[in-house]
């Protein structure tokens, strides 16, 4: 299935007093990579929101394992792909490389979530449109 | 084993364009809660770093499941406890409640990591001091 | 005029590799303090958005001066007040104290901004309701 | 004097519930741009810290004016230059463009700060090395 590669330059402000990336920032990286994956097949997030009444694709389950640290000034490379489509959810996998070494892995389960003023919290899940899945081949 | 409870006020800046907490911020909350747990038994992080030559307690594996969103202006309550001590690693568990509903759960595996100028990356794991474990009862 | 005081515990994740608060986090603190000031007079942000069709109170001009650093584990105290009301904008001032020493000061100019689907960017400024100003005495 | 241009892709996670960049993130962008400016003349931050015993170049005074919002999916362009060198401080200026429109401006005053275990807070300012200034022409 379609995958995408994104490079991210680790910034000073992404790092903690230990001098390494503060781990919640890695989740920001991964989130940016999932959005970039969709953009790579022609679905820019802003347009997807309008086209489908989408609120977003909120996370319901994510796990990350960190094997090696990264520090400011380094550029990490993240490879992202969708590993499974459900009816209204899907699974994403990220592999993050730092100097060609696998430094972190992450799996995500996200839900296709639309605005619904009548629903609890103003949102509800909805089946993922077939045309969206189709773009990922 | 000793647990700790921390309340966090969800800020406008913690939320994304969907109007709900941007999920990497939840990991910031959980990290603050782990530090608060140590502080609750007398180990303030700044002092721990000095006393033990500690670089930090970096994350090596974390998983979070999100059951319900939270939004700005809400105050969430997080209950945190250490569920297992290894030789140089330990497992932490967080339960996050929003208006008395379990809204998220997180498990963490962290490593007791000291500065070592000779080691790769300037850091290495070390057995967790017995007195640290003892404080958690 | 009405002022508000808020204490913020500096977290590990707020600090950079120099071991001190990464300065953009101070702006997050100040933003939280402005919201807390409104909440202190009965205007919770979520309710204000609904009641007035408010998009937010975006920043148009802010300046901060930093006199002393703050580090993780410290609790800073911030005193916030509105120093001037304009027609559709207002000025806020923050003083941040760390261990009773003035460590930072910030001034903000914000604009009362409502949603307007016909306007450029979907938003426009609007006169601040008199009842809002009145609450600050 | 030497200037640098950097493009930043605005991420979903940089935006607040109003759907626009949460303004403290702009300060993260500007900080990244100052670091990129130094890197553009051969001073990578990690190497500068080692070479000069530098703790960092902390901010002491910054002001930003925001003229137009930016939103996720947009790519902003920031032009950064040093406008004045003092003995141990220097002034930086950023101009941020969104779709060729000047959307924000920022000025910064930073201090060349070295580690000093005997000094208050473990840090003190020091004259900026002539070779550093020289690289900016």
């Amino acid at each position: 299935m379609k995958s995408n590669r994104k490079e991210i330059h680790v910034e000073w402000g992404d790092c903690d007093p230990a001098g390494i990336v503060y781990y919640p920032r890695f989740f920001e990286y991964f989130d940016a990579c999932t959005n970039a994956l969709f953009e790579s097949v022609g679905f820019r997030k802003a347009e997807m929101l309008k086209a489908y009444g989408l609120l977003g694709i909120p996370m319901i389950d994510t796990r990350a394992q960190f094997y090696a640290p990264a520090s400011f000034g380094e550029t990490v490379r993240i490879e992202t792909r969708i590993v499974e489509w459900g009816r209204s959810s899907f699974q994403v996998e990220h592999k993050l490389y730092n100097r060609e070494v696998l430094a972190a892995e992450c799996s995500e389960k996200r839900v296709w979530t639309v605005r619904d003023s009548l629903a609890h919290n103003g949102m509800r899940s909805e089946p993922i449109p077939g045309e969206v899945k189709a773009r990922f081949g």
Side-chain angles (χ1 to χ4, degrees), chain A:
Chain A
M1 218 173 321
K2 179 77 178 66
S3 71
N4 192 52
R5 175 179 293 193
K6 186 174 164 68
E7 292 197 336
I8 294 180
H9 187 253
V10 177
E11 299 296 344
W12 169 265
D14 293 338
C15 297
D16 65 19
I20 58 177
V21 174
Y22 181 54
Y23 78 93
R25 306 290 165 242
F26 279 124
F27 288 100
E28 296 185 35
Y29 293 2
F30 296 137
D31 185 59
C33 288
T34 296
N35 292 331
L37 174 63
F38 274 83
E39 198 166 326
S40 75
V41 297
F43 287 114
R44 291 168 45 90
K45 195 153 187 170
E47 291 159 11
M48 269 169 60
L49 299 194
K50 278 182 202 151
Y52 298 107
L54 199 68
L55 182 79
I57 44 172
M59 184 67 67
I60 57 169
D61 193 346
T62 186
R63 180 187 179 188
Q65 290 166 281
F66 305 103
Y67 310 124
S71 189
F72 53 98
E74 295 178 332
T75 297
V76 297
R77 173 169 54 88
I78 300 141
E79 292 179 5
T80 299
R81 63 195 186 99
I82 291 177
V83 290
E84 197 183 328
W85 289 105
R87 191 174 134 81
S88 58
S89 69
F90 58 100
Q91 300 238 18
V92 187
E93 182 190 272
H94 307 278
K95 291 183 184 296
L96 183 149
Y97 297 88
N98 190 9
R99 287 166 291 173
E100 299 314 308
V101 173
L102 181 65
E105 283 183 288
C106 181
S107 62
E108 305 180 342
K109 188 173 185 183
R110 292 172 181 264
V111 175
W112 191 266
T113 303
V114 297
R115 295 180 185 276
D116 180 349
S117 57
L118 299 177
H120 182 56
N121 291 323
M123 60 182 81
R124 63 173 167 76
S125 66
E126 202 177 65
I128 303 165
E131 71 210 61
V132 171
K133 295 180 182 180
R135 289 273 187 100
F136 290 86

